[in-house]
Amino acid sequence: MAALVPSPPTRTICPGRVEPFEGAMQLRVPAGRNATIFTPLSSRRELCFNGPTATLSNLPPPPLSPSDFTFPRIGGAKPNALVLEAQAKVCTGPTQTRPLDEDKAFEVLRTILQSANGEIHERVSRAQLGAFFAGMTIRANSFPSKTQWSDGERKAMKHFWPSLIHVLPADVLFIADPEGTLLEGFPSRGATFTGRGPAEMRLVGALREVLHGGHLGFEEVVGLLRDILPLDQSCEGPDNVSESLVAAFLIGQRMNLENDRELKAYCLAFDDELGQLPVADVASLTHYGEPYDGNTRFFRSTLFAAAVRASYGESCLLHGAESMPPKMGLTEEQMLKHMGAFTGLPSVAAAKLLEDEKVGFAYVSQREARPALHSLVYIREHIKKRPPLATTEKVQQFVRATGREAMMAGFYHEGYRDPLLMLMRRRGASSGLVVKGEEGALSLTTKESLTGTSVKGFPLNHCAGFRPSNSIEASSIDRDGVTRETFEMQINPKDFGFQSSSTPRIDRAVEKNVELGLCALKGEKGPAYDRIILNAAVADHLLGCRGASDISEAVERAKEAVDSGRALARLMNYVQASNLWSKKST
């Protein structure tokens, strides 16, 4: 796909010398580059408060080098558990946020202060600070009264803020207090913070809107993402933006409930990162969009269902990551790696394997296909809650097809069902399907109870989507001139001859999930076998695939593919073929 906006120039990200200049500030100048010095605002500029007027001149100097140590960059460090727990409560949506009680608020802010002073071993990272204070600011500025600050949070901030303004880095002060008016009589330097370089300055400008609950345009988000990614966590040069600001931006956009323009920007921003997408010469291609953070409890069937479908000509492309926050659960990449497959295939190799008549499916890692997005893995661990990318990465397109293309994605929260379908249409898919399977994955279940108080929003096995139709009563005609029908339903496995059964537990165990899947592909009947057949057949039927207009016939075709051994052969052929590509790449 052609670039939507011009790509930013290549940046040199390496630390150079530190040059002082007037105003007691420092400018880091990378070797071999010229620096533009932005004149700081007058040190006598007055800020407005509800109380006595205060000026920047009578504030203590901000921490410079000390904050680099007291609030470390992420690197390989784990987040502070106490603050991370608080982030899970205060960094979520307008109705889901749970304000901290007084004891917890005091404990969290005390921990942040102790971290700043170097008094605790488990430091609070810059990304955690950015996410936590972004959540607090957005709640104060735009959330409904029930999810704004509690009395306990107000007391805690009033108690600790006079100390925190002396030790928090300037970028965090901006996030926590962008107007400089958080507490009467205690102005911070947040209102005058502009950023260290062009990319960071643009990010600060966008955050002034986001921190007040506002939204951004498509081009603005695309430009920002291309400015700040990929992150380089190995240095602190001016071209490498603050982790605090990035974390605040990601969590802030999610808390404000991203609109369609913003989601499309996250989805499409890096389509041309590695050049033009390869094209596979196949009649049909299904893109599987499982949640990248995996399963933590139940059997994950998608890898094996894809092998089944590939065995009768429905080419399937899976994509994901080896491990992804927040769940850090079982993924397709882990399973393939456990089976001995090479998981570092470039997209061009995946296209060739899709064309291979003995294989017909492939897996692409985000690490290889979208390195800019993958550079956020560690920062995503430190912001705790899912950013917008958790939705849009499920609708990535790493290979195109000469024939029809379909897309599938798992979801959990009902508010993301229709946006996922919108993104699939934007991708130009002929058919699109979203499934509320177990753990928000694509895996339909055959368990007895499909509704219950523990399931939020749509019930388990809820499906919705669109597909080509010859009916004149179809609901829409897309821009390609094809008439499509939309649908939504709840799949009841009993209607297709499946007996109820409890879902096998895997509890993150890769070897257990692989064993269940391989035994099923060898023809061993049971819950895993039923789930693989069900998921393959329902995908064929709902996506409008050839030979699957009758769901009963689709079920029988899937069973035959497994019982004959053809599906297992496809999976084993993929393991072998992927390693041949590995040798070619070396």
Side-chain angles (χ1 to χ4, degrees):
M1 180 177 291
L4 297 167
V5 298
S7 297
T10 302
R11 302 177 305 195
T12 302
I13 306 178
C14 56
R17 65 186 186 277
V18 177
E19 296 289 348
F21 69 98
E22 185 178 0
M25 299 177 67
Q26 292 180 333
L27 178 69
R28 298 177 186 269
V29 184
R33 293 194 58 176
N34 295 323
T36 301
I37 297 178
F38 297 90
T39 304
L41 295 173
S42 168
S43 62
R44 296 292 303 174
R45 180 171 180 173
E46 293 186 347
L47 302 177
C48 296
F49 299 90
N50 294 326
T53 300
T55 63
L56 292 178
S57 61
N58 57 23
L59 290 177
L64 294 173
S65 57
S67 67
D68 292 339
F69 300 97
T70 54
F71 293 106
R73 292 176 65 82
I74 290 174
K78 289 294 182 182
N80 178 280
L82 176 70
V83 176
L84 199 69
E85 179 188 358
Q87 290 169 234
K89 296 179 179 179
V90 304
C91 295
T92 185
T95 59
Q96 299 96 335
T97 286
R98 293 164 290 163
L100 304 177
D101 61 31
E102 184 173 335
D103 289 343
K104 182 59 68 174
F106 268 79
E107 188 178 12
V108 169
L109 291 175
R110 183 181 299 110
T111 298
I112 291 174
L113 182 60
Q114 289 173 334
S115 178
N117 291 326
E119 297 172 358
I120 57 175
H121 176 70
E122 191 179 272
R123 302 293 178 81
V124 182
S125 71
R126 288 175 178 261
Q128 284 190 276
L129 291 172
F132 175 77
F133 283 112
M136 296 294 285
T137 301
I138 290 172
R139 289 171 56 213
N141 286 336
S142 64
F143 272 24
S145 58
K146 288 186 178 180
T147 50
Q148 289 185 0
W149 289 12
S150 66
D151 290 340
E153 288 171 322
R154 291 189 187 92
K155 291 178 181 179
M157 286 298 290
K158 185 175 182 180
H159 178 82
F160 285 103
W161 188 244
S163 299
L164 289 172
I165 60 175
H166 295 283
V167 295
L168 289 178
D171 53 349
V172 178
L173 288 174
F174 159 71
I175 296 166
D177 191 14
E179 305 302 326
T181 56
L182 182 61
L183 281 184
E184 182 178 316
F186 291 96
S188 74
R189 298 177 185 271
T192 61
F193 179 75
T194 59
R196 297 173 301 170
E200 197 166 276
M201 292 177 72
R202 285 190 286 272
L203 182 56
V204 168
L207 273 170
R208 292 193 182 278
E209 184 72 21
V210 171
L211 292 172
H212 283 81
H215 292 280
L216 306 176
F218 173 81
E219 292 83 2
E220 186 174 7
V221 176
V222 169
L224 280 168
L225 291 174
R226 291 184 171 189
D227 277 347
I228 66 180
L229 300 180
L231 292 182
D232 184 349
Q233 294 162 356
S234 63
C235 68
E236 273 281 1
D239 289 327
N240 203 29
V241 297
S242 155
E243 290 175 352
S244 303
L245 297 175
V246 175
F249 181 71
L250 292 175
I251 205 65
Q253 291 239 282
R254 174 50 61 104
M255 290 180 68
N256 292 340
L257 304 179
E258 323 91 305
N259 60 29
D260 286 357
R261 295 188 305 274
E262 291 165 327
L263 286 173
K264 281 189 283 189
Y266 279 94
C267 187
L268 306 175
F270 293 97
D271 276 6
D272 62 346
E273 180 180 6
L274 300 182
Q276 199 168 22
L277 294 180
V279 179
D281 186 12
V282 293
S284 174
L285 175 61
T286 302
H287 303 263
Y288 275 86
E290 283 280 25
Y292 277 25
D293 62 351
N295 282 29
T296 59
R297 293 174 292 160
F298 299 118
F299 174 64
R300 190 154 161 133
S301 64
T302 294
L303 173 62
F304 309 102
V308 172
R309 298 184 67 226
S311 70
Y312 45 75
E314 293 295 338
S315 302
C316 299
L317 180 66
L318 293 81
H319 54 91
E322 182 170 2
S323 185
M324 183 67 73
K327 288 168 65 174
M328 297 291 196
L330 170 78
T331 64
E332 282 69 34
E333 184 162 336
Q334 292 175 20
M335 288 187 276
L336 286 167
K337 196 171 183 179
H338 181 77
M339 295 167 60
F342 175 62
T343 58
L345 291 176
S347 295
V348 65
K352 294 299 182 183
L353 291 178
L354 290 169
E355 295 174 346
D356 191 327
E357 294 181 354
K358 295 182 179 179
V359 181
F361 81 100
Y363 172 82
V364 175
S365 175
Q366 184 192 62
R367 179 185 61 254
E368 306 298 326
R370 294 290 181 272
L373 298 180
H374 197 69
S375 72
L376 288 169
V377 169
Y378 293 109
I379 213 167
R380 288 172 69 166
E381 181 181 3
H382 286 242
I383 67 175
K384 180 60 177 178
K385 304 299 287 185
R386 294 175 178 85
L389 288 170
T391 297
T392 61
E393 63 198 2
K394 293 184 286 190
V395 196
Q396 289 302 299
Q397 197 170 27
F398 298 141
V399 176
R400 299 298 304 269
T402 55
R404 67 187 294 270
E405 293 186 55
M407 288 189 158
M408 299 174 61
F411 79 101
Y412 184 78
H413 295 288
E414 58 184 333
Y416 288 97
R417 186 195 72 169
D418 292 342
L420 283 168
L421 292 171
M422 175 275 295
L423 292 174
M424 292 176 185
R425 289 180 180 273
R426 179 63 180 80
R427 285 288 188 194
S430 298
S431 304
L433 173 63
V434 292
V435 175
K436 183 171 181 176
E438 288 179 307
E439 297 194 61
L442 278 166
S443 298
L444 296 165
T445 180
T446 61
K447 66 190 296 184
E448 178 68 34
S449 176
L450 297 180
T451 59
T453 56
S454 62
V455 179
K456 299 177 182 178
F458 295 113
L460 284 174
N461 285 10
H462 175 86
C463 297
F466 59 90
R467 61 193 174 201
S469 173
N470 295 321
S471 170
I472 60 174
E473 298 179 355
S475 59
S476 66
I477 299 178
D478 281 355
R479 58 184 178 178
D480 57 5
V482 177
T483 304
R484 288 179 171 82
E485 61 179 356
T486 59
F487 58 85
E488 64 175 278
M489 65 189 70
Q490 184 182 7
I491 298 297
N492 186 346
K494 289 184 177 180
D495 295 341
F496 313 132
F498 293 95
Q499 298 298 315
S500 298
S501 60
S502 298
T503 305
R505 298 276 309 204
I506 51 97
D507 297 318
R508 288 192 170 92
V510 178
E511 61 279 2
K512 187 172 184 179
N513 204 97
V514 169
E515 180 182 3
L516 286 166
L518 291 180
C519 287
L521 291 189
K522 292 175 182 177
E524 184 177 307
K525 305 302 188 288
Y529 177 95
D530 287 348
R531 280 159 178 74
I532 293 170
I533 299 300
L534 175 67
N535 280 277
V538 169
D540 290 337
H541 176 66
L542 294 184
L543 292 174
C545 297
R546 184 174 300 176
S549 57
D550 186 321
I551 183 65
S552 298
E553 293 180 4
V555 169
E556 291 305 313
R557 180 171 66 175
K559 286 182 177 179
E560 193 278 332
V562 172
D563 295 342
S564 66
R566 288 189 290 115
L568 179 61
R570 292 292 177 129
L571 183 54
M572 295 298 101
N573 289 345
Y574 177 78
V575 172
Q576 182 180 15
S578 68
N579 281 289
L580 293 177
W581 276 97
S582 170
K583 294 176 182 178
K584 288 181 182 180
S585 65
T586 57

